[in-house]
Amino acid sequence: MRAKFTLAASVVFLVAAMFVFLSPELKNVSRETFADETPTNSQVSEGLTCQCGCGLTVANCNMPTCGFSVPMRAEIDRMIGEGKTRAQIIAFYRHQYGEKVLSAPTTEGFNLLAWTMPFIALALGGGLMVLAVGRWHSKQPSAPADSASGAQPASFDPELRRRLEKELEERR
């Protein structure tokens, strides 16, 4: 019974993992482009993290004299005026500052792990809990039939009982 359950759980996990890693919708999340429409400053700056230490996006940085977001917004406006798309502008800043400037990890390469690891950890933890509860449930000791009569177990040694009582008396 347990082998069938473990096999079924493994198959379900593998199917779910294949769905996550091979899903075309997930692969296109980071390649989102607005080629048909001109992007706005807020659309572009929402995808970039301010590097002043506030932890907000460039669009939401609330420091009026921020040395990073204020010039960056002006530069984004200039790039939009030149006709660049949102993807091109974000790629420019990604090349200049690295992955840390992005407000969300991409769904490519190793960053895919950042998106999927919470779900994998939940699935593994749930599976381990099911297995643990199954083992605990199957190992419950049965009550001896003669426990109601108060009889001593067959392996009771009167000499050990006497020594135990003697040691307890000495400690008092």
Side-chain angles (χ1 to χ4, degrees), residues 76-157:
I76 289 171
D77 280 333
R78 182 186 58 77
M79 289 180 179
I80 291 173
E82 292 174 358
K84 293 188 178 181
T85 64
R86 178 182 186 271
Q88 290 172 331
I89 297 170
I90 288 180
F92 170 78
Y93 285 113
R94 183 178 176 189
H95 177 71
Q96 188 172 358
Y97 294 100
E99 293 278 327
K100 68 180 181 178
V101 79
L102 300 177
S103 61
T106 61
T107 57
E108 301 169 338
F110 187 72
N111 287 336
L112 187 60
L113 196 61
W115 290 103
T116 59
M117 191 49 132
F119 301 107
I120 292 170
L122 282 173
L124 287 175
L128 289 174
M129 286 177 57
V130 166
L131 288 174
V133 168
R135 285 186 177 182
W136 291 336
H137 184 65
S138 67
K139 289 186 178 179
Q140 287 181 349
S142 60
D146 59 345
S147 64
S149 65
Q152 296 290 340
S155 62
F156 177 72
D157 186 6

Side-chain angles (χ1 to χ4, degrees), residues 162-172:
R162 188 188 60 75
R163 284 180 44 203
L164 176 64
E165 289 176 359
K166 181 180 175 185
E167 287 182 20
L168 288 173
E169 278 295 320
E170 289 174 359
R171 290 187 185 252
R172 288 185 194 169

Side-chain angles (χ1 to χ4, degrees), residues 32-109:
E32 175 184 300
T33 59
F34 297 107
D36 294 339
E37 61 184 71
T38 304
T40 63
N41 190 316
S42 63
Q43 286 175 331
V44 175
S45 57
E46 278 293 328
L48 302 169
T49 302
C50 187
Q51 301 298 303
C52 72
C54 67
L56 300 171
T57 62
V58 171
N60 295 328
C61 182
N62 53 8
M63 293 175 51
T65 59
C66 178
F68 187 83
S69 67
V70 173
M72 186 178 259
R73 285 188 211 125
E75 192 172 354
I76 289 171
D77 280 333
R78 182 186 58 77
M79 289 180 179
I80 291 173
E82 292 174 358
K84 293 188 178 181
T85 64
R86 178 182 186 271
Q88 290 172 331
I89 297 170
I90 288 180
F92 170 78
Y93 285 113
R94 183 178 176 189
H95 177 71
Q96 188 172 358
Y97 294 100
E99 293 278 327
K100 68 180 181 178
V101 79
L102 300 177
S103 61
T106 61
T107 57
E108 301 169 338

